[in-house]
Amino acid sequence: MDNLTIRPVRREEYPAVVELIKRVMLEVNIKDYDRDYLLEYVKRYDTAELAAFADSPDCHFYVGYYDGALAACGAVAPAEDKPGAQEIRSVYVRPDLEGKGLG
């Protein structure tokens, strides 16, 4: 992945990141999760919801660009069930780039 750059997300990228997340949910996650739930989630998911997560204390949210285009995103954030622990969360890879090692 010579053409891959990973760095912290910038607030001005939130709209594009939201669209990437929605795309992954509708093209990939919908195969494994309840369709109605995901359709409803995608309807309400927006930059404010992303900001609430990405801007939260101790959350480190990253974007990956492949050949100059947004290709992936993900976070290292506090574990929900283990106080003081961090975990990799919310990893999304553009469907056309799955299986290439971006995740």
Side-chain angles (χ1 to χ4, degrees):
M1 298 253 79
D2 293 335
N3 299 327
L4 177 64
T5 302
I6 299 173
R7 62 166 171 71
V9 68
R10 297 178 186 139
R11 287 189 72 74
E12 63 267 17
E13 294 171 305
Y14 284 6
V17 171
V18 165
E19 291 308 310
L20 171 64
I21 291 169
K22 288 180 176 185
R23 179 179 175 194
V24 171
M25 288 186 165
L26 293 176
E27 292 181 30
V28 179
N29 296 12
I30 206 158
K31 297 172 190 169
D32 298 312
Y33 294 93
D34 182 73
R35 178 181 177 80
D36 292 335
Y37 169 80
L38 284 181
L39 291 173
E40 188 59 36
Y41 185 82
V42 165
K43 274 190 216 175
R44 68 176 169 76
Y45 191 76
D46 60 13
T47 57
E49 191 161 337
L50 174 62
F53 176 66
D55 297 341
S56 63
D58 300 320
C59 180
H60 306 279
F61 200 95
Y62 298 92
V63 288
Y65 281 80
Y66 182 70
D67 284 340
L70 180 62
C73 64
V76 177
E80 293 179 353
D81 58 346
K82 295 180 183 168
Q86 297 273 318
E87 63 186 4
I88 296 172
R89 295 186 32 203
S90 304
V91 176
Y92 297 91
V93 176
R94 216 172 66 205
D96 60 306
L97 295 173
E98 280 191 349
K100 299 192 183 301
L102 274 77

